[in-house]
Amino acid sequence: MAATTFLLELGVEELPPHAIDTLSDALADGVRHGLAEADIEHGAIRAYATPRRLAVQVHELADKQPDREVERRGPALAAAFKEGQPTKAAEGFARSCGVDVSELIHLETDKGTWLGYRERRPGEATKNLLPDIVSKAIAALPVPKNMRWGASRTEFSRPVHWLVMLFGSDVVAAEALGLTAGRTTFGHRFHAPQAIELAHADDYLSAMENAWVLADREQRRERIREQVLAEAEVQEATAVIDEDLLTEVSGLVEWPVALTGSFDERFLEVPPECLISSMKANQKYFHLLDEQGRLRPLFITIANIDSADPQQVIEGNERVIRPRLADAAFFFDTDRNRPLADRIPELASVLFQQQLGSLTDKAHRNAAVAAFIAGQIDGDVGHARRAAELAKCDLVTEMVLEFPELQGTMGRYYAIHDGEPEEVAQALEEQYLPRFATDAIPVTRTGLALALADRLDTLTGIFGIGARPTGTKDPFALRRAAIGVLNILVKGELDLDLRELLELATAQHQELPYAGGLVDEVLGYMLDRFRAWAQDEGIDAEVYLAVRSRPVTRPLDFARRLRAVAAFAGRDEAAALAAANKRVANILAKQDEPIPASVDPQRLQEDAEKSLHQAVMARQERVMPLFAEGRYQEALDALASLRQPVDAFFDQVMVMAEDPEIRANRLALLAALQALFLEVADISLLQQ
């Protein structure tokens, strides 16, 4: 079977930059899926994309499907022949197969014998199958928003202008989105606007580069990165390359050219975060820092043209950025004319959630919980209350209304300007930490208290009105809030009882429709998030389940148990002891009679049970102080030595002895053994 390269390219007007990667990958996946369904062999599949094109290149694509053996089942044998003669059912089936009844075969199945036909069908030519594969792949694209253009009824994300489908050097006869496939493509809109005839599908990347187009997304991203770093080196500065911005800029250009511009130094009096947000959000610029990490009055823009006079391009960008930065400076000056505290009344008109009240209501609830937490972690209760009162005030400032991503950051700047305590000011920014699972947590005690209080209020409130997250919908980001609480408590080594905190947070709400069982529900939901936390730590699901089975309500304690059991699971003794605990759990679960609370040494008969009893008592004396101090790994390491006496016990002792007193005593010994491990986790679940 011969193989060659297949090329698909869809030419469009400029696509939304954030959608390009998704659409490109989806198109490649659609082609891959179609080829798999058609059972066509192929090599590597490459996805390419620019603002003006989506392309897929399939290497070593077989020119036809493999021949296939097709089996058809007809009527049951009993219905196919009567008195040795074929019935109409048999004759009709034979006609449908294009053969005589004598050429049919018998198919044996678990439900009886059937009349059947088996034939070898030659594989279809790939060129004949590609039009349908491509049409389905295009139809399945996750287009953010369809549009129509001209008089056409065709719909797509942007108007489409050309379609290339080449199988080797041959054009594939196909139509899609109202276009007829050909070999004509187009290069850069300005540098190479003329039509380009592709001779072969293998020529695509080189032909595009010759036409001032870098079709390879990763190559284009890295070209931008290299150019930005090179421009920064010329300026003896450090370029800050935000990966999301890099991806967005890559989706705006086909032939990137980095240019450095500047702005007035007077704008540096504005907080750097404001200037950076303005440059990134509005102009897609990369900013530069000096050796001390301070913002330089410079920016790097990525042009989509290699201008003969780059200075004109630079000056044009400088003219555009100047009023943007002037706006930021104006917002900063205007906001500082009023202290943050003066904005507290305005929060009453900003709704947090219809059933949970305004931001003023939330601030009052947060203040009570934050003050309690601060008292528990040696923080300043007064600072915690003040920070909670001011926490949301920057949301009604001009700067944050223009740049929402600066919430918290501007609160810190304005609080410092107002003369608020430094820790209060810092807490206003830290309340949003961690923003994601691997993000840093607050540094200050006040920040820790406020960040916890805000999330706990949201969790109890939203659950309390019945707006629980589902598998696909979490509009209030409750999963992120729950994981944020866990991360703060664990990374901050705050040994707080989550149930107690949830009870306090719930009590702050005036009225919740679903208050019954609310604390248990939210607590369970939050502890369930430890599964994802454990996965991020490289801890197996079985370890999580072993710990989750115990009534642990302190996340720091939960995490210590997880790590201890994960370490124990790696020991040679773990599998045997887990199996033994599973056996013990099964035996104890079947008992109808109460099991004695303690072992009577006088009723121990066999050497193996005496040895196990001595080992359990010795280990109990050793590990109980360790449990009390949360030193679970040391405790489990000590319990690992029980493997030998446990194995000997089960090998040599009949637990369910005929004498009821001896049987009860042995069950009490097993219960004592089980209880030692249950102080940490149910290690029998490590068997799953």
Side-chain angles (χ1 to χ4, degrees):
M1 218 181 308
T4 189
T5 302
F6 168 64
L7 172 67
L8 162 66
E9 186 194 49
L10 183 64
V12 297
E13 291 187 14
E14 278 68 10
L15 290 164
H18 287 297
I20 289 177
D21 285 0
T22 301
L23 291 173
S24 177
D25 291 337
L27 184 59
D29 288 343
V31 171
R32 182 182 291 106
H33 177 72
L35 294 175
E37 278 196 333
D39 196 25
I40 304 174
E41 296 180 358
H42 60 84
I45 296 180
R46 310 290 185 199
Y48 303 117
T50 76
R52 299 182 65 216
R53 67 200 75 235
L54 298 171
V56 177
Q57 204 174 41
V58 184
H59 297 273
E60 299 175 9
L61 182 62
D63 62 356
K64 61 186 293 263
Q65 295 172 310
D67 295 343
R68 292 177 294 166
E69 192 171 77
V70 178
E71 187 175 272
R72 295 180 59 187
R73 192 174 77 175
L77 197 62
F81 294 94
K82 296 295 182 183
E83 299 178 355
Q85 297 300 313
T87 63
K88 289 185 177 180
E91 291 172 345
F93 176 65
R95 281 196 303 273
S96 71
C97 296
V99 296
D100 188 74
V101 173
S102 61
E103 298 179 65
L104 299 177
I105 61 174
H106 293 178
L107 299 176
E108 301 290 341
T109 73
D110 55 354
K111 295 183 179 179
T113 304
W114 305 76
L115 207 59
Y117 179 67
R118 192 177 290 129
E119 65 174 332
R120 191 168 187 81
R121 290 183 182 174
E124 182 82 13
T126 299
K127 284 176 63 174
N128 297 336
L129 298 170
L130 283 172
D132 186 55
I133 291 172
V134 169
S135 292
K136 289 180 178 177
I138 292 175
L141 288 177
V143 176
K145 188 175 182 180
N146 273 318
M147 63 179 294
R148 295 176 184 170
W149 55 96
S152 171
R153 304 296 294 175
T154 302
E155 292 186 354
F156 195 61
S157 177
R158 293 291 187 271
V160 296
H161 292 297
W162 72 85
L163 175 66
V164 174
M165 286 177 63
L166 289 179
F167 188 63
S169 57
D170 298 332
V171 173
V172 177
E175 290 187 1
L177 298 177
L179 299 171
T180 300
R183 65 174 71 247
T184 305
T185 184
F186 294 85
H188 192 281
R189 185 181 293 278
F190 305 112
H191 287 302
Q194 64 277 10
I196 300 168
E197 299 295 310
L198 294 172
H200 195 283
D202 285 332
D203 300 340
Y204 182 65
L205 285 182
S206 59
M208 287 296 95
E209 190 160 359
N210 289 336
W212 301 75
V213 173
L214 291 179
D216 188 314
R217 292 177 295 166
E218 190 59 32
Q219 182 188 11
R220 198 164 63 252
R221 276 172 55 93
E222 293 311 306
R223 177 78 64 87
I224 294 171
R225 189 193 306 276
E226 292 168 5
Q227 290 184 359
V228 169
L229 294 175
E231 286 289 308
E233 187 174 355
V234 171
Q235 300 296 331
E236 298 182 346
T238 300
V240 179
I241 300 179
D242 179 279
E243 293 300 320
D244 289 339
L245 178 61
L246 180 61
T247 297
E248 184 177 6
V249 171
S250 178
L252 290 169
V253 298
E254 291 194 313
W255 190 261
V257 177
L259 300 170
T260 301
S262 63
F263 56 85
D264 294 343
E265 288 195 19
R266 65 182 176 87
F267 289 124
L268 295 179
E269 297 173 7
V270 179
E273 293 90 346
C274 305
L275 304 180
I276 292 167
S277 285
S278 183
M279 288 190 284
K280 285 172 61 176
N282 296 319
Q283 303 305 127
K284 317 305 176 189
Y285 293 162
F286 297 92
H287 62 280
L288 301 175
L289 304 178
D290 64 16
E291 293 180 353
Q292 285 74 43
R294 296 171 304 198
L295 185 66
R296 292 277 304 274
L298 301 169
F299 62 85
I300 297 175
T301 182
I302 305 299
N304 188 32
I305 187 171
D306 194 355
S307 174
D309 187 1
Q311 189 57 39
Q312 282 197 37
V313 179
I314 293 170
E315 290 174 359
N317 279 273
E318 290 174 343
R319 284 194 298 273
V320 171
I321 194 61
R322 194 175 299 118
R324 297 285 191 181
L325 300 185
D327 286 345
F330 173 77
F331 295 148
F332 184 57
D333 290 339
T334 302
D335 288 340
R336 287 186 299 170
N337 288 333
R338 293 177 59 200
L340 271 181
D342 285 1
R343 300 177 185 272
I344 291 177
E346 295 179 35
L347 299 182
S349 62
V350 181
L351 194 66
F352 168 60
Q353 200 282 334
Q354 188 171 7
Q355 294 172 266
L356 300 176
S358 67
L359 288 182
T360 295
D361 299 318
K362 184 172 179 60
H364 290 159
R365 297 192 299 263
N366 286 353
V369 178
F372 172 80
I373 294 173
Q376 296 291 303
I377 62 175
D378 297 327
D380 188 306
V381 173
H383 284 355
R385 286 190 178 278
R386 183 60 171 171
E389 291 171 357
L390 299 176
K392 308 303 178 186
C393 289
D394 68 346
L395 297 181
V396 293
T397 63
E398 296 292 335
M399 186 71 80
V400 175
L401 288 172
E402 179 71 17
F403 300 109
E405 67 274 14
L406 294 179
Q407 62 182 354
T409 299
M410 297 317 301
R412 173 171 61 85
Y413 277 109
Y414 296 148
I416 291 172
H417 177 265
D418 297 343
E420 297 287 348
E422 183 178 344
E423 186 161 319
V424 170
Q426 190 167 343
L428 300 189
E429 184 168 35
E430 291 180 335
Q431 65 178 305
Y432 297 103
L433 298 178
R435 295 179 180 86
F436 45 88
T438 58
D439 197 13
I441 65 170
V443 174
T444 66
R445 299 277 111 178
T446 302
L448 290 167
L450 180 58
L452 287 170
D454 191 44
R455 288 167 172 83
L456 292 169
D457 174 77
T458 299
L459 284 159
T460 53
I462 300 302
F463 268 85
I465 61 172
R468 301 161 182 81
T470 64
T472 56
K473 294 183 179 180
D474 185 14
F476 293 94
L478 298 186
R479 290 184 184 87
R480 187 168 60 197
I483 292 174
V485 170
L486 297 181
N487 275 326
I488 290 171
L489 294 175
V490 174
K491 293 180 180 178
E493 297 190 347
L494 305 178
D495 194 18
L496 300 178
D497 190 316
L498 192 52
R499 177 182 293 280
E500 183 180 18
L501 296 181
L502 290 170
E503 288 173 348
L504 177 62
T506 301
Q508 305 312 309
H509 292 278
Q510 294 297 316
E511 192 174 323
L512 292 174
Y514 298 91
L518 175 61
V519 170
D520 286 335
E521 183 183 11
V522 180
L523 177 63
Y525 175 81
M526 295 183 73
L527 292 179
D528 285 346
R529 306 281 77 73
F530 256 120
R531 182 190 286 267
W533 186 92
Q535 186 176 10
D536 290 340
E537 293 274 315
I539 296 174
D540 291 338
E542 292 81 4
V543 173
Y544 161 78
L545 293 172
V547 176
R548 183 70 177 89
S549 67
R550 307 305 300 143
V552 183
T553 59
R554 294 176 178 268
L556 180 60
D557 189 54
F558 198 111
R560 287 171 176 165
R561 291 169 187 254
L562 279 174
R563 289 166 178 152
V565 177
F568 173 75
R571 294 183 63 109
D572 294 338
E573 302 92 343
L577 286 170
N581 271 270
K582 182 72 171 177
R583 187 172 178 181
V584 168
N586 290 337
I587 292 171
L588 297 178
K590 294 176 182 177
Q591 305 311 308
D592 296 326
E593 298 296 325
I595 297 171
S598 61
V599 177
D600 182 356
Q602 301 303 316
R603 290 198 171 97
L604 298 173
Q605 295 184 332
E606 305 289 343
D607 290 342
E609 62 181 323
K610 292 176 182 178
S611 296
L612 179 58
H613 178 250
Q614 290 173 359
V616 168
M617 292 301 101
R619 291 300 91 189
Q620 190 176 56
E621 185 178 350
R622 168 81 177 93
V623 301
M624 292 311 288
L626 297 177
F627 290 146
E629 296 173 11
R631 296 157 63 184
Y632 300 115
Q633 188 165 338
E634 292 179 53
L636 288 175
D637 287 341
L639 293 178
S641 64
L642 290 172
R643 175 184 178 177
Q644 185 175 354
V646 168
D647 288 346
F649 176 85
F650 281 116
D651 286 343
Q652 302 171 29
V653 178
M654 174 67 71
V655 177
M656 305 306 292
E658 292 186 12
D659 187 322
E661 292 184 345
I662 293 175
R663 180 171 66 245
N665 202 49
R666 289 174 179 172
L667 290 171
L669 177 57
L670 293 183
L673 170 68
Q674 182 191 52
L676 278 180
F677 286 96
L678 287 178
E679 287 288 337
V680 184
D682 183 356
I683 70 165
S684 69
L685 296 178
L686 298 180
Q687 282 276 293
Q688 294 185 5

